[in-house]
Amino acid sequence: MRLFLKVTDPAFLFILILVAILVSLTGLAFAPAIIPIHFNGHLRPDGFINKWAGFSILPAVMLLIWLPSRKGKSYKASLCILFLFIIHVLLVLYALFSK
């Protein structure tokens, strides 16, 4: 019996992408109209974007990476999707809880 999913499993990665989309939809309801998307060396925002574009870019990129790699288990694509998921969740949280 398998107790956990492997990181390279395409089904796990698809669920991760769906969670990222749900995080985006939840963030859209509460975020300001303009959100930070780029930060300088002191972790201060220096680039801003519309919230609709900012919350949809990374899930779209994750989906575009997942589509060709869903047939075979690609370790590089899995790590890239995991990294983008973490960055996306952090950006949404920063947009929601920053002043």
Side-chain angles (χ1 to χ4, degrees):
M1 185 170 141
R2 206 162 97 177
L3 296 176
F4 60 91
L5 292 171
K6 291 185 179 180
V7 176
T8 57
D9 189 9
F12 171 73
L13 295 174
F14 185 68
I15 290 170
L16 207 63
I17 294 169
L18 289 178
V19 170
I21 292 169
L22 288 174
V23 167
S24 294
L25 292 174
T26 305
L28 281 172
F30 301 106
I34 303 294
I35 61 168
I37 194 74
H38 189 268
F39 301 88
N40 63 14
H42 300 289
L43 297 179
R44 292 189 182 99
D46 62 355
F48 298 90
I49 194 168
N50 182 339
K51 71 177 178 180
W52 289 92
F55 286 164
S56 62
I57 290 173
L58 288 179
V61 171
M62 290 167 59
L63 191 61
L64 289 175
I65 293 171
W66 177 78
L67 283 173
S69 68
R70 71 183 186 269
K71 302 275 189 215
K73 296 182 178 182
S74 171
Y75 188 69
K76 290 180 184 178
S78 302
L79 286 179
C80 187
I81 290 172
L82 284 172
F83 178 73
L84 289 175
F85 176 78
I86 292 168
I87 295 298
H88 178 65
V89 170
L90 290 175
L91 284 174
V92 170
L93 288 174
Y94 187 85
L96 291 176
F97 294 111
S98 65
K99 293 182 184 180

